[in-house]
Amino acid sequence: MLSGLVVESEITRFVEEIEKLERGEITPEEFQRFRLENGIYGVRGTTDMQMVRVKLPLGILNSEQLEALAQLAEEFTPKKIGHVTTRQDFQFHEVKRKQIPDVLKLLATAGMTTREACGNTVRNVTTCPYAGISANEFFDVTPYAEAAVNFFLRNPLAQNLPRKFKIAFEGCIEDHAKTAIHDFGAVAAVREQNGKMEKGFRLYIGGGLGTAPRCAELLEPFTPVDLLLPTAEAIIRIFDRLGERKERNRARIKFLIQKMGSEDFKALVLAERKTVLGTASGLANFRIQEAEEKAPSKVEKGKDFSADPEFEHWKATNLFPQKQKGYFAVHVRCPLGDLNVPQMKGVAQIARQYAEGRMRTTIAQNLLIRWVHESALGSVYDGLKKIGLAAAGAEHFIDITRCPGADTCNIAVTKSRGLASELDKLFQNGLRQISDLKDTTIKISGCPNSCGQHHIATIGFFGSARNIEGHAVPHYQMMLGGSAAEGKAVFGKNILKIPASKVPAAVKKLLTVYREKRAGENEGLEAFINRTGAEAIKAALQEFTVLQNYAADPKAFMDWGDDAEFHLKAGKGECAV
């Protein structure tokens, strides 16, 4: 890690760049590129408000850091909310530009940074949240993922890539990290070599979502652990050298692989790796230190029960049994990925009391408190109940993923947050009995770019608009049957484009038909969708594509969360800058 002097100099430079902008010495476009590299986005409809994206490598978080994030929300944001992202980051919206240096100072005191959380860089490295505690893992990938973070963060090699580059690590049999949709995915593997077990990875390259989704391809069947970083560096070097820099919509590495051909690209990577190894490239003294995570020792004694009637339901859906006997990881379901200040402070205190502050964020936009002993589960539940975070169903069907949408994002068409809130109500009113379905998801994006990962959802939506009777009307494209596993991403099929106001009713109809016509209670929603077929489902939902005339029902022409007529205001996305 870099010294405090380096971080301090970065903050000082941020102050200087703001002053240059205000004096007219640099253009807004020049400042934009600088702030993006430092994890600061613009906010829709403003010129001096920013979105701050805090990098949490591997999703690792402790109580002191969560309290610092709560302080950030409390002191610098009007809505006093933090948002957990699908890349295990935290985001904060509508921070005044002049306050950004103070925000960066606060984060630095807690060992956090926004550096390279945006821009054409190696983004936050994500990892299976169960790394080190899962009985189904080949080995703990944490130290290897941390090595990748430390190598690429602030590395000149990764400061001006053709486009963003996303890395994910997985150690389990199940692919919780969704490596198939990443530019670079590393899945733990072992093999016997000369009578000894050797650790390595199956490395996947060229995956991604966006408007042209693509499944990652296997680079080679086994990459020894000591070749992990040299291989990653070789891929980055090739991408930097040959990637598209003019047509930004085709600048991700997946397009370079398509252009070159998979086999030619793989051969080039293996040749480049020899060059990396031959020149050391800064890795001559780089060593990955493995260490088994120990059980916490400084914890309070709790109780294993709660009088609340929902306690058993919560235990059934929100607990992950660790391979360490007697310990559980507790999923804290964050409504729509959001946490308010009291909730952040409350979770931090609960984690400190009963788990030594050990937490991770998840790509399902939740928090995971790890190392909770079974004797304290009742106390943890009661504590979460007091702050409104004891809802069951974490990582289940009811747990809806969504991007921030048009509330803050420059390129979003629709308000995905509002739709997610309405769909959540369905599970509280009439659909509760299927709310706990596993391996079944609803994911929502406010535009086609898939920040909400709608392509790999059982039921996915992305925002769009249509003109009806001279009025712009918010719509959602419904996609069905998506999923992701190691080496296999199934992208949902387009079914219907539905007015935003009609989407909850359409989802209710789909799920009602599913409950009535599924082939027994063991048939999951994805299997039902595949068996029933797109055309039959489309016919069943066709009624929800039609609106009455505007005069008869003007609210039907509005977006969820709006109290006025919808207007299409999508601008240029900063991810493509």
Side-chain angles (χ1 to χ4, degrees), residues 179-185 204-208 214-218 487-489 491:
T179 54
I181 60 168
H182 286 76
D183 300 286
F184 181 87
Y204 293 88
I205 53 174
R214 185 178 190 272
C215 181
E217 299 179 25
L218 186 66
K488 181 182 180 182
F491 304 121

Side-chain angles (χ1 to χ4, degrees), residues 67 74 82 85 106 111 113 139 182 253 277 323 329-330 359 379 411 427 430 470 556:
E67 286 166 341
E74 189 168 34
T85 78
L106 170 62
T113 184
F139 58 86
H182 286 76
I253 196 171
L277 291 169
K323 65 182 179 182
V330 175
M359 291 173 281
S379 296
I411 59 174
F427 291 109

